[in-house]
Amino acid sequence: MRGSGQWGVGRGKRQAPASTDHAPLSSDLLRRLAPRQVLTSLAERRNYRYDAIQFGETPLAVVLPETTADVVAAVQVARAAGVPIVGRGAASGLSGGAAPAVPGLVISFTRMTALRVDPSRREARAQAGVVTLAVSDAARPHGLIYPPDPASLRTSTIGGNLAENAGGPMCFKYGVTGDYVRALQVVDAAGEVHELTRDAYDLAGLLIGSEGTLGLMTEATLRLVPPPRFTRTLMAHFPEVGACAEAVSQAIAAGAVPSKLEFMDRACTNAVEDYLGLGLPRAAEAVLLIDTDGDDLPTVEEERALVEAACAAAGGTVRRAGSDAEAAALWQARRSVSPALGRIRPQRMNEDIAVPRSALPDVVREIRALGDASPFTVVQFGHIGDGNLHPNILFDPRQDDSHAVHDLAHRIALVALRHGGVLSGEHGIGSMKRDFMRDAVDPVTLGALWTVKRALDPAGGLNPGKVLPEEVNG
Amino acid sequence: MRGSGQWGVGRGKRQAPASTDHAPLSSDLLRRLAPRQVLTSLAERRNYRYDAIQFGETPLAVVLPETTADVVAAVQVARAAGVPIVGRGAASGLSGGAAPAVPGLVISFTRMTALRVDPSRREARAQAGVVTLAVSDAARPHGLIYPPDPASLRTSTIGGNLAENAGGPMCFKYGVTGDYVRALQVVDAAGEVHELTRDAYDLAGLLIGSEGTLGLMTEATLRLVPPPRFTRTLMAHFPEVGACAEAVSQAIAAGAVPSKLEFMDRACTNAVEDYLGLGLPRAAEAVLLIDTDGDDLPTVEEERALVEAACAAAGGTVRRAGSDAEAAALWQARRSVSPALGRIRPQRMNEDIAVPRSALPDVVREIRALGDASPFTVVQFGHIGDGNLHPNILFDPRQDDSHAVHDLAHRIALVALRHGGVLSGEHGIGSMKRDFMRDAVDPVTLGALWTVKRALDPAGGLNPGKVLPEEVNG
């Protein structure tokens, strides 16, 4: 950093090298790691160039570490070779965070699956490759669960959840991934290992959500909680999307704190119905799925009644899940939105805006109007209790104009920002919403974020091309 | 930063200039600020050299800003003059965070008291000088409260709470200051203003708890929540301190989540009793104060019964608060510990360790033994539900050996670290526990924290001498 360095003072742009010759890197890796830990053939490497929403560059090599020491070795080799590094969990992310922007080394954490539950401390220690759901599965015999529940929790990994600070339906009441992290093991850009707690400077909190651009998260100590004793599930459907948003706003203003509060618009509901045939109301413009939970049944049911009343007042039709099986089917519907949409168009631009709840009716209506005026199918769903919406533009890259898609996505992001919202509720910025950061964050603060990035990754080798847009005056 | 810069690579130590001539600084400040905003006389300046636990250096000048623009002006003047800056709230902190380590400029935020509640968003926007309790007072007419409740909440400010990431009794169930921050306005070392949200890189989270060493927090958007409908208060007393810790560990293992769970040892109880005469059990070796709360009375009372059973099983005697007035008196006792201890010896070394709950009985007994073997009075109290203890060494600087005090404090800190604990639960590291950071954080990670510090405060002008110990190999 130059002597004049201050937050926000523009500095020289550094570009990670974009080598395309993989042979030297691979042989260096094979000197430090076992052959089963290094993938070098093109056919294998091509499997590591995408996440669930975006294609990136084919990596020069892929490492499958089994220990933190393996990660250190891989980082040291890549650093010496001047090759960028992209960390990868299950690649179920929805912002392009794990899709390499330049050819480099992918470190795939799926073999780092050690998991230990300590019931007396109510915590779990998990390596990065542990599947999210496995934490609750291991904790449940001890009367504990791990609440963060991204839709992909059956495949997503703790490392990926940490990188994107993932949320999920439960997060409205229980908080996101970062709220459950007590300690974090990180391998930095130089290959040094750090054991971070949350006191003094909260460096762990800075790493969480940074998408592997500041360090690689290899292990975490996660807080566990007792599950609620009772849960009640409701579905409500509405003849108009804004009315649904009004019901949400009213229910929460009346004092209800549902554990889940999810929204799907008509296009979503029909996509899921085509896919799974669960009997969802195809004609409704908006469907709400709601759980209320707690340890006291009368309170749980009272809260459900508050939500029912707000839905009815906004013109909705309410149906209670009559059994656990019916409740499970409704939640399977919600989790199936992403795969169901994938059947309509081969690709989608997925947004993750979060807006104040009081602005929801306007935001949902404005985005609906933008979609209707466009040549694309725009669907909306999301964790509406948090004001976290996922407008998706469905398109076919073989025939649709990618600039038009990007432009529409930009206009949707601007709706959120105009109503006091933010770009990302839970999926991260990735490569997908990186350009919109200039609308969301003023140049001085963007400079501060770049200052932090450069301090922790001076060579710019960690997941280049993610989160932060390039500085204009470099 | 040098080209080789990586986390953990030692770099040259920079020392903030320690000028003692205040006249040029004062005249520069008076060119940018109103006379009522700048204190220059020695008598006035001497009032800004301490916090509630430690004396520091008399500042060269004191600025009392009324707006963020005033803060920017003060930072620009101090920076141009090469003078360090210490932010200060109500100075009720307990780690020396606001006590200047070198003579410089103190920015005292007590006149920045703008506060606005938005009930529909369930949030408050508060300037740094707003008194903590004022947030809940303004929110309560809208059916909302701001849960973080440091013992000093009647005088402490939101800015000070942010700087130390303050906790309080409610934090066991409801979380600490940082858990309630949605957005943060920060003035950086160069005088630039940043509006930070919590997405992308969580720079706000990094600033919270950094004690003014990375930037000055001027305003925050705080999350508000509905208060619980019912609260029940209990007191339990024990013939031995370890038994009290066992009761806590057992009650929580049995599934109780009290909203407050506070501990005072015999010396504390007697100090408070001497001060206030509330009828506390003077002969007990340990007293627990417990609140259970919630919206459903049977659940609240069931949780109280779980705690009562655990206390009785550990050999404790339980008393329920029979009225709101009795409950209020018990909590007044807890909040009065600090002033009451100040009547025994003029000064104290106050620790803030946090240990796993399962380790509490051993930790409490070991610290008690260290105190008994020393020439000092050592008292223990704290938020025992979180494992957050405040062992205090009471001493008289006129006759006691400060090295012996520091050495005992160090041995107490090592007890916590040996049992898997951390140095600071809620008070911050400040100047008081700064030296112990070398035991708590390995050198590589300490280097990473220094890298972040240097990136955001390259000249080292923000509250020098706090949080991070000097690097050995600079």
Side-chain angles (χ1 to χ4, degrees):
Chain A
M1 186 176 303
R2 294 182 205 156
S4 70
Q6 297 288 356
W7 292 28
V9 175
R11 252 163 259 116
K13 195 196 301 195
R14 296 184 211 184
Q15 201 63 47
S19 164
T20 51
D21 182 11
H22 68 93
L25 177 68
S26 300
S27 58
D28 288 349
L29 288 167
L30 285 165
R31 266 194 287 278
R32 299 285 303 274
L33 296 157
R36 70 174 183 282
Q37 297 180 315
V38 185
L39 306 181
T40 58
S41 80
L42 181 62
E44 288 174 315
R45 288 185 285 119
R46 283 171 64 85
N47 294 333
Y48 292 83
R49 75 186 188 286
Y50 55 83
D51 71 358
I53 196 103
Q54 204 160 58
F55 278 89
E57 298 291 326
T58 300
L60 304 175
V62 177
V63 164
L64 300 163
E66 289 154 35
T67 64
T68 299
D70 295 338
V71 178
V72 169
V75 169
Q76 287 172 343
V77 169
R79 188 188 175 213
V83 161
I85 297 167
V86 181
R88 180 184 161 107
S92 53
L94 292 167
S95 64
V102 293
L105 174 66
V106 164
I107 300 181
S108 173
F109 286 95
T110 48
R111 291 188 189 164
M112 286 182 64
T113 56
L115 174 63
R116 196 179 65 242
V117 172
D118 183 339
S120 77
R121 293 189 181 191
R122 289 194 178 177
E123 63 190 31
R125 181 76 176 179
Q127 278 185 316
V130 168
V131 168
T132 312
L133 187 63
V135 181
S136 279
D137 283 349
R140 206 169 280 110
H142 305 286
L144 297 166
I145 58 165
Y146 172 68
D149 61 343
S152 55
L153 83 172
R154 281 168 178 71
T155 52
S156 70
T157 62
I158 291 297
N161 294 168
L162 290 167
E164 304 296 341
N165 199 9
M170 291 271 279
C171 296
F172 173 52
K173 184 169 177 179
Y174 293 96
V176 295
T177 301
D179 294 320
Y180 288 85
V181 177
R182 285 191 174 148
L184 204 59
Q185 187 188 67
V186 173
V187 175
D188 72 14
E192 302 272 18
V193 181
H194 302 269
E195 303 285 349
L196 305 175
T197 54
R198 307 296 303 258
D199 65 338
Y201 291 170
D202 187 10
L203 208 49
L206 185 69
L207 268 286
I208 296 164
S210 70
E211 309 189 15
T213 63
L214 303 178
L216 295 164
M217 293 177 272
T218 43
E219 277 188 42
T221 302
L222 304 171
R223 189 163 60 89
L224 306 173
V225 300
R229 270 187 259 172
F230 303 101
T231 301
R232 289 293 177 266
T233 299
L234 270 186
M235 184 176 72
H237 58 90
F238 298 81
E240 195 259 328
V241 284
C244 161
E246 269 156 21
V248 169
S249 211
Q250 285 310 309
I252 295 171
V257 186
S259 57
K260 305 180 184 177
L261 194 36
E262 296 289 309
F263 155 69
M264 301 192 294
D265 74 359
R266 181 175 181 162
C268 272
T269 305
N270 280 278
V272 172
E273 204 47 28
D274 290 345
Y275 182 37
L276 296 175
L278 295 166
L280 299 172
R282 282 180 179 277
E285 286 297 325
V287 169
L288 272 188
L289 296 176
I290 305 113
D291 270 5
T292 60
D293 74 6
D295 292 339
D296 181 69
L297 191 55
T299 309
V300 174
E301 295 187 335
E302 191 184 311
E303 220 162 354
R304 179 176 65 179
L306 278 175
V307 177
E308 286 174 332
C311 289
T317 306
V318 180
R319 199 177 88 198
R320 295 179 180 181
S323 65
D324 287 353
E326 198 182 332
L330 287 174
W331 287 111
Q332 191 197 351
R334 171 61 186 87
R335 276 194 306 273
S336 303
V337 167
S338 277
L341 293 177
R343 297 171 74 242
I344 299 179
R345 287 285 184 289
Q347 209 160 343
R348 58 202 175 98
M349 174 86 189
N350 169 65
E351 305 216 37
D352 179 35
I353 57 173
V355 300
R357 268 191 306 272
S358 50
L360 276 172
D362 287 347
V363 168
V364 168
R365 285 181 185 124
E366 285 177 37
I367 292 172
R368 175 63 187 262
L370 281 176
D372 289 348
S374 84
F376 304 107
T377 302
V378 172
V379 306
Q380 298 190 70
F381 60 97
H383 315 303
I384 199 165
D386 295 305
N388 183 197
L389 292 175
H390 301 316
N392 272 238
I393 307 167
L394 310 185
F395 66 101
D396 184 340
R398 291 163 301 191
Q399 56 197 54
D400 291 321
D401 174 9
S402 69
H403 292 291
V405 173
H406 191 272
D407 178 61
L408 178 57
H410 191 187
R411 277 181 290 147
I412 291 172
L414 291 175
V415 171
L417 297 175
R418 198 165 55 237
H419 285 279
V422 298
L423 290 180
S424 173
E426 56 170 13
H427 293 167
I429 300 296
S431 50
M432 191 152 263
K433 283 152 293 186
R434 189 178 164 240
D435 288 343
F436 310 158
M437 283 284 280
R438 287 207 188 85
D439 302 307
V441 182
D442 69 66
V444 170
T445 298
L446 217 45
L449 301 181
W450 265 115
T451 298
V452 168
K453 163 73 173 169
R454 284 199 197 87
L456 298 181
D457 179 25
L462 294 177
N463 209 359
K466 304 296 165 61
V467 187
L468 301 181
E470 297 301 328
E471 282 178 299
V472 178
N473 48 350
Chain B
M1 187 177 305
R2 293 179 205 158
S4 69
Q6 297 289 355
W7 292 29
V9 175
R11 252 163 259 117
K13 194 195 303 193
R14 295 185 211 184
Q15 201 63 47
S19 162
T20 50
D21 182 12
H22 68 94
L25 177 68
S26 299
S27 58
D28 288 351
L29 289 167
L30 286 165
R31 266 193 288 277
R32 300 284 303 274
L33 295 157
R36 69 174 182 282
Q37 297 179 313
V38 185
L39 306 181
T40 58
S41 80
L42 180 63
E44 287 173 317
R45 288 184 284 120
R46 283 172 63 85
N47 294 333
Y48 291 83
R49 75 186 188 285
Y50 56 81
D51 71 358
I53 196 103
Q54 204 160 57
F55 278 89
E57 298 290 326
T58 301
L60 303 175
V62 177
V63 164
L64 299 163
E66 288 155 35
T67 64
T68 299
D70 295 338
V71 178
V72 169
V75 169
Q76 287 171 343
V77 169
R79 188 186 174 213
V83 162
I85 297 166
V86 181
R88 180 184 162 107
S92 54
L94 292 167
S95 64
V102 292
L105 174 66
V106 164
I107 300 182
S108 173
F109 286 95
T110 48
R111 289 186 190 166
M112 285 181 64
T113 55
L115 173 63
R116 196 179 62 242
V117 172
D118 183 339
S120 76
R121 294 190 181 190
R122 289 193 180 180
E123 63 190 32
R125 182 77 176 178
Q127 279 186 315
V130 168
V131 169
T132 312
L133 187 64
V135 181
S136 279
D137 283 349
R140 206 169 281 111
H142 306 285
L144 298 166
I145 58 165
Y146 172 67
D149 61 342
S152 54
L153 82 174
R154 281 168 177 71
T155 52
S156 71
T157 61
I158 291 297
N161 295 168
L162 291 166
E164 304 296 339
N165 198 9
M170 292 271 281
C171 296
F172 173 52
K173 183 168 178 180
Y174 293 96
V176 296
T177 302
D179 295 319
Y180 288 83
V181 176
R182 285 191 174 147
L184 202 59
Q185 186 187 69
V186 174
V187 176
D188 72 14
E192 302 272 18
V193 181
H194 302 270
E195 303 284 349
L196 304 176
T197 55
R198 305 298 301 260
D199 64 339
Y201 292 170
D202 187 10
L203 208 49
L206 185 68
L207 267 286
I208 295 165
S210 70
E211 311 190 13
T213 63
L214 303 177
L216 295 164
M217 294 178 270
T218 42
E219 275 188 43
T221 302
L222 303 170
R223 188 164 62 87
L224 305 172
V225 300
R229 268 188 263 172
F230 303 100
T231 301
R232 290 292 177 263
T233 300
L234 270 186
M235 183 177 71
H237 58 90
F238 297 82
E240 195 259 329
V241 286
C244 160
E246 269 157 19
V248 168
S249 213
Q250 286 309 310
I252 295 172
V257 186
S259 57
K260 305 181 185 176
L261 194 38
E262 296 289 310
F263 155 68
M264 302 192 294
D265 73 0
R266 181 175 180 163
C268 270
T269 306
N270 279 277
V272 172
E273 205 46 30
D274 289 345
Y275 182 39
L276 296 175
L278 294 165
L280 299 173
R282 283 181 179 274
E285 286 296 324
V287 169
L288 274 188
L289 297 177
I290 305 115
D291 269 5
T292 61
D293 75 6
D295 291 341
D296 181 68
L297 192 54
T299 309
V300 175
E301 294 186 337
E302 190 184 312
E303 221 163 353
R304 179 176 64 180
L306 279 177
V307 177
E308 285 174 332
C311 289
T317 306
V318 179
R319 198 176 90 198
R320 294 180 180 180
S323 65
D324 286 354
E326 198 182 333
L330 288 174
W331 287 111
Q332 190 198 350
R334 171 61 185 87
R335 277 194 306 274
S336 304
V337 167
S338 278
L341 293 177
R343 297 171 75 240
I344 299 179
R345 287 285 184 288
Q347 209 160 345
R348 57 201 175 100
M349 174 87 189
N350 169 65
E351 304 216 37
D352 180 35
I353 58 173
V355 301
R357 268 192 306 272
S358 52
L360 276 173
D362 287 346
V363 168
V364 167
R365 284 180 186 125
E366 286 177 37
I367 292 173
R368 175 63 187 263
L370 281 175
D372 288 348
S374 83
F376 303 108
T377 302
V378 172
V379 306
Q380 297 190 68
F381 60 97
H383 315 303
I384 198 165
D386 295 304
N388 184 196
L389 292 175
H390 300 317
N392 272 239
I393 307 167
L394 310 185
F395 66 102
D396 184 339
R398 288 163 303 187
Q399 56 197 53
D400 291 321
D401 173 10
S402 69
H403 292 292
V405 172
H406 191 271
D407 179 61
L408 178 57
H410 191 190
R411 278 182 288 146
I412 291 172
L414 290 175
V415 171
L417 297 174
R418 198 164 56 238
H419 285 279
V422 297
L423 291 181
S424 174
E426 56 170 12
H427 293 165
I429 302 295
S431 50
M432 190 153 264
K433 283 152 293 185
R434 188 177 166 240
D435 289 342
F436 310 158
M437 283 285 279
R438 287 207 187 86
D439 302 306
V441 183
D442 69 65
V444 169
T445 298
L446 217 44
L449 301 181
W450 265 114
T451 298
V452 168
K453 163 71 174 172
R454 285 201 196 84
L456 297 180
D457 180 24
L462 293 177
N463 209 358
K466 304 297 165 62
V467 187
L468 300 181
E470 297 302 327
E471 282 178 300
V472 178
N473 49 350

